[in-house]
Amino acid sequence: MKILSINSGSSSLKFCFFEMDNETVIASGAIERIGIDGSSYKIKYKGDTISEDLEIPDHDHAVQILLEHFLSLEIVSSYEEIQAIGHRILHGKDIFTKSVLITSSVMEQLEKLVDLGPLHMRANIAGIKAFQEVLPDAVQVAVFDTAFHQTMEEEAYLYPVPYQWYEKYGVRKYGFHGISHQYIAEAVKKLLGKDHFKLISCHIGNGGSVAAIRDMEVVDTSMGFTPLAGIMMGTRSGDVDPSIIPYMMEKEGKNASEIVDDLNRVSGVLGLSEYSSDMRDLIKKCEEGSSKAILAKNKYVRRVVDYIAQYYVLLEGVDVIVFTAGVGENNIPIRREICEKLSCLGVKIDLDSNNICGDFVQLNTLDSAINVYVIPTNEELMIARNTLKFVNR
């Protein structure tokens, strides 16, 4: 059984092609800068990387280029080998609490959700339509980044604002990175060999979120109505006083959308350090003694620790803390500093183990009160697994 996982962004299309009998990757890659000058594609297959710069005006052309190369590179002998396609969808509101087979009615509902994430949702829908055009007989499944979080109870997902905002306009916490948090939860369940556990999953990369999970169900998560809420991120502010928005509108002569754009694009690690949004660059700058870089790094660590501590209390203790995504999997000093600040909860890690990057590793010592792991996430495989459930029904 061969399944194609697709992540369509506003100007990109990332893919991973799986043989699901043993969950191995056949081919992977990305098409970048769709509709923008300098567009290109990169395909990895049998240890080789094929790349080319060429004009790619829209997602329809991107899909055509991808599938033509599937044939020319003999990744498949015919399109019939692509039996199913799983599409990562940013937002399912509280309508979609799990992955669904894509039908005309599902497409109509997705169109109505565009306002909740215009750039991503339009791209997600464009990706679906492009593949439907070329592969009409393949099973197509929508896998939602918000779905895994829909087990939260009202007191977790509702904001203390007029209730009518929720009833009329759907203003509530939705949470994101759900595909990654689900993958981590399934990995921990398999690791522990039991159904009952308390997990804090830390997906920390350029974007980041923390999730409190009990027995495979999300109790709470840091991102909110949009991915802007929660911990400090590469360019996103995370939680701030909302009164900052009208205040800065007046001071800067900007409208609300422009200030929110500033909070999304030039805040976070980049904003405080005034140097870079990349944590690798920031650590180097810290080693050089930059006070702003050190401030940004310390604030980042503090925000992650704040959520872990909050969720420790919410879960009434925790069995496992997991670090994943770019920073979580690869940044040695950030993991160490977070764990050091959690020592009051009984967290103890082995520094030699913490020096391992990009691989599965248990960080905690034998006398640690909490197990701490680094588990590389695999959102593409999670999309494929969700898609497989709809094949041959």
Side-chain angles (χ1 to χ4, degrees), residues 2 34 139 146 159 192 211 224 230 236-237 242 253 263 310 318 324 328 334:
K2 295 175 181 177
I34 298 170
V139 174
T146 50
Y159 291 115
L192 299 179
R236 296 180 190 139
S237 64
L263 294 174
Q310 176 185 335
V318 64
T324 195
I334 293 296

Side-chain angles (χ1 to χ4, degrees), residues 141-320:
V141 175
V143 183
F144 297 91
D145 216 19
T146 50
F148 188 56
H149 298 298
Q150 298 311 302
T151 53
M152 289 187 292
E153 296 183 354
E154 279 189 327
E155 63 184 59
Y157 69 71
L158 286 180
Y159 291 115
V161 296
Y163 194 80
Q164 286 188 345
W165 292 10
Y166 168 59
E167 290 182 306
K168 289 185 177 181
Y169 311 114
V171 174
R172 54 158 283 181
K173 176 185 287 191
Y174 290 104
F176 299 87
H177 295 137
I179 297 169
S180 176
H181 289 302
Q182 183 183 8
Y183 179 85
I184 296 302
E186 289 191 0
V188 169
K189 179 180 177 180
K190 183 177 180 180
L191 177 69
L192 299 179
K194 60 182 182 180
D195 296 328
H196 302 291
F197 57 89
K198 299 173 184 178
L199 162 67
I200 296 178
S201 174
C202 303
H203 176 110
I204 48 175
N206 191 261
S209 64
V210 181
I213 300 168
R214 180 189 292 118
D215 305 340
M216 289 299 297
E217 292 191 347
V218 175
V219 179
D220 205 350
T221 190
S222 58
M223 281 183 168
F225 180 66
T226 72
L228 180 56
I231 65 172
M232 175 178 166
M233 298 169 241
T235 64
R236 296 180 190 139
S237 64
D239 297 335
V240 295
D241 183 339
S243 296
I244 290 173
I245 295 174
Y247 179 80
M248 290 309 299
M249 287 170 62
E250 182 178 340
K251 294 296 182 184
E252 293 280 319
K254 295 181 177 181
N255 60 36
S257 294
E258 289 171 323
I259 297 299
V260 170
D261 193 59
D262 287 344
L263 294 174
N264 269 301
R265 297 181 184 275
V266 295
S267 298
V269 171
L270 174 62
L272 271 189
S273 70
E274 294 186 326
Y275 179 66
S276 175
S277 63
D278 192 307
M279 193 59 71
R280 293 166 294 188
D281 297 337
L282 192 76
I283 295 300
K284 291 179 182 177
K285 204 69 173 175
C286 289
E287 292 169 352
E288 295 171 6
S290 167
S291 59
K292 288 182 179 177
I294 293 169
L295 169 64
K297 183 258 298 176
N298 290 346
K299 184 70 174 181
Y300 183 92
V301 168
R302 179 169 177 167
R303 281 295 180 88
V304 175
V305 169
D306 285 347
Y307 268 98
I308 293 174
Q310 176 185 335
Y311 291 162
Y312 178 92
V313 174
L314 179 65
L315 292 170
E316 298 178 324
V318 64
D319 300 308
V320 181

Side-chain angles (χ1 to χ4, degrees), residues 14 22 46 79 113 146 184 206 265 381:
K14 299 176 183 177
N22 50 15
K46 288 187 175 179
Y79 290 157
L113 301 182
T146 50
I184 296 302
N206 191 261
R265 297 181 184 275
L381 179 56

